[in-house]
Amino acid sequence: LPRPLKRALAGILSESELRLLRAGVDAIGDICILQIPPELDARERDIAQAVLHQMPYVRAVFKQGGPISGEHRTRALVRLEGQGGTVTSHREHGCIFKVDAERAYFSPRLSTERWRVAGLVRPGEIVVNLFGGVGPFSILAAKRQPACTVYSIDINPVACELAAENVRLNKLTHRVTVLRGDARQLVPERLRGVATRVLMPLPERAREFWNVTLQALAPTGGVVHYYTHVRAPRGSDPIQLAAQELPPKARAEILGGRRVREVGPGWFEVGLDVAFREAVLT
Ligand code: SAM
């Protein structure tokens, strides 16, 4: 929990209640989103008031009404305290992202991973982001590597509108192109064989998109950033489990793997950096 929030809640929640809330607070721009576990339902107003009171930059506090779901990866938000809606501007690594926390996916928790990936892009690269959302990975890559070109695809029209606006806000219109539609259609139509790097940040379903990624890769190959959710019982290695999801026939070499975050008890989001020496067009 952010320190000021912890201090504020220490007065109204017990140690064990605080632990229940631990993984469930996200600050995006000037709003705060809480995942309130059922045990704390009755305390939600107290918690929201404490957040508003103790974190002066927070304008409104929302609770997540259900899980992130559907093809667009969105969630319902209910305002508990404060004013205004779910649209806000979030700053990250010198970039600004306009976000609608209800109608398009955005997570501030992936900030370190985005910065890491952006730092790997070399001059002259062409990056294809199959699941670009409101643009954070795509924009950060273009900002950090001034001699690369990025294509940022998303199927959610709201995400695409925000991504296009974010590209303008960050002055990258000459190098980041937002494409609205299904990656399965757009890649074969417009981006076949162009990419030196492909991003696959849809951990629930990325494994269904290997064909699309291999189509996007240049004939000389390239690097893929693959994200997946794996269930790793105690004693097993989540990275090895994720590696089993690579396409069987392609010549792939795992450059590195890491747990990006814990997404549930025993479940991890794993990121793999994978080099394909030559593209296997399917
Ligand atoms: N990369 C972004 C980020 O980190 O904020 C967004 C990642 S979000 C987990 C996954 C995104 O994939 C959603 O915005 C969703 O609309 C999009 N998506 C889902 N299926 C898709 C498809 N078939 N083609 C293109 N985008 C898709």
Side-chain angles (χ1 to χ4, degrees):
L1 289 183
R3 200 163 301 182
L5 179 62
K6 210 169 166 182
R7 229 178 292 128
L9 295 178
I12 59 167
L13 298 181
S14 68
E15 269 297 316
S16 58
E17 286 175 327
L18 263 180
R19 265 198 299 279
L20 286 172
L21 200 63
R22 200 178 49 188
V25 181
D26 271 332
I28 306 181
D30 63 357
I31 67 175
C32 189
I33 297 169
L34 307 173
Q35 286 176 53
I36 310 258
E39 299 91 321
L40 292 181
D41 265 350
R43 318 291 307 278
E44 66 184 32
R45 286 225 98 81
D46 297 342
I47 298 170
Q49 273 166 8
V51 171
L52 204 60
H53 192 67
Q54 289 294 323
M55 299 167 82
Y57 56 89
V58 173
R59 150 180 70 78
V61 181
F62 294 85
K63 80 164 171 180
Q64 196 167 306
I68 293 180
S69 65
E71 189 170 49
H72 294 173
R73 309 309 303 150
T74 53
R75 57 187 166 184
L77 295 177
V78 181
R79 195 176 67 207
L80 296 175
E81 284 292 329
Q83 317 226 318
T86 52
V87 176
T88 185
S89 288
H90 187 79
R91 288 188 175 276
E92 180 179 297
H93 302 302
C95 294
I96 183 148
F97 303 126
K98 187 171 169 190
V99 170
D100 183 333
E102 185 167 51
R103 298 172 70 214
Y105 182 92
F106 179 81
S107 173
R109 295 182 200 193
L110 299 173
S111 152
T112 311
E113 177 63 5
R114 290 194 270 261
W115 183 246
R116 188 189 71 81
V117 169
L120 297 172
V121 183
R122 302 272 71 91
E125 282 208 35
I126 297 181
V127 180
V128 172
N129 186 351
L130 297 186
F131 313 113
V134 304
F137 265 104
S138 308
I139 287 169
L140 211 57
K143 247 309 193 264
R144 220 181 150 182
Q145 175 46 263
C148 76
T149 305
V150 184
Y151 294 92
S152 194
I153 301 173
D154 206 283
I155 203 166
N156 175 357
V158 177
C160 288
E161 239 171 74
L162 290 163
E165 193 170 342
N166 288 331
V167 170
R168 283 193 295 276
L169 285 170
N170 292 283
K171 302 190 172 32
L172 291 166
T173 44
H174 51 305
R175 289 193 295 114
V176 182
T177 305
V178 176
L179 299 172
R180 170 180 156 183
D182 189 333
R184 286 170 289 212
Q185 211 173 327
L186 286 170
V187 165
E189 275 174 19
R190 303 192 44 185
L191 298 170
R192 189 182 275 276
V194 306
T196 57
R197 193 174 294 272
V198 179
L199 273 50
M200 304 175 72
L202 178 65
E204 301 78 12
R205 294 184 40 210
R207 63 180 72 82
E208 298 166 32
F209 287 81
W210 276 116
N211 279 354
V212 181
T213 292
L214 297 178
Q215 282 175 336
L217 279 178
T220 45
V223 174
V224 175
H225 300 283
Y226 175 70
Y227 297 91
T228 185
H229 285 172
V230 293
R231 200 179 76 82
R234 208 176 278 276
S236 64
D237 178 5
I239 293 156
Q240 255 176 20
L241 291 168
Q244 291 169 9
E245 296 176 15
L246 295 187
K249 278 179 285 177
R251 286 178 52 198
E253 180 197 342
I254 297 180
L255 303 174
R258 77 213 58 77
R259 290 189 204 178
V260 178
R261 52 180 171 172
E262 191 170 357
V263 287
W267 280 86
F268 300 95
E269 177 169 342
V270 171
L272 295 181
D273 299 348
V274 188
F276 288 87
R277 295 294 170 220
E278 54 197 72
V280 188
L281 297 181
T282 48

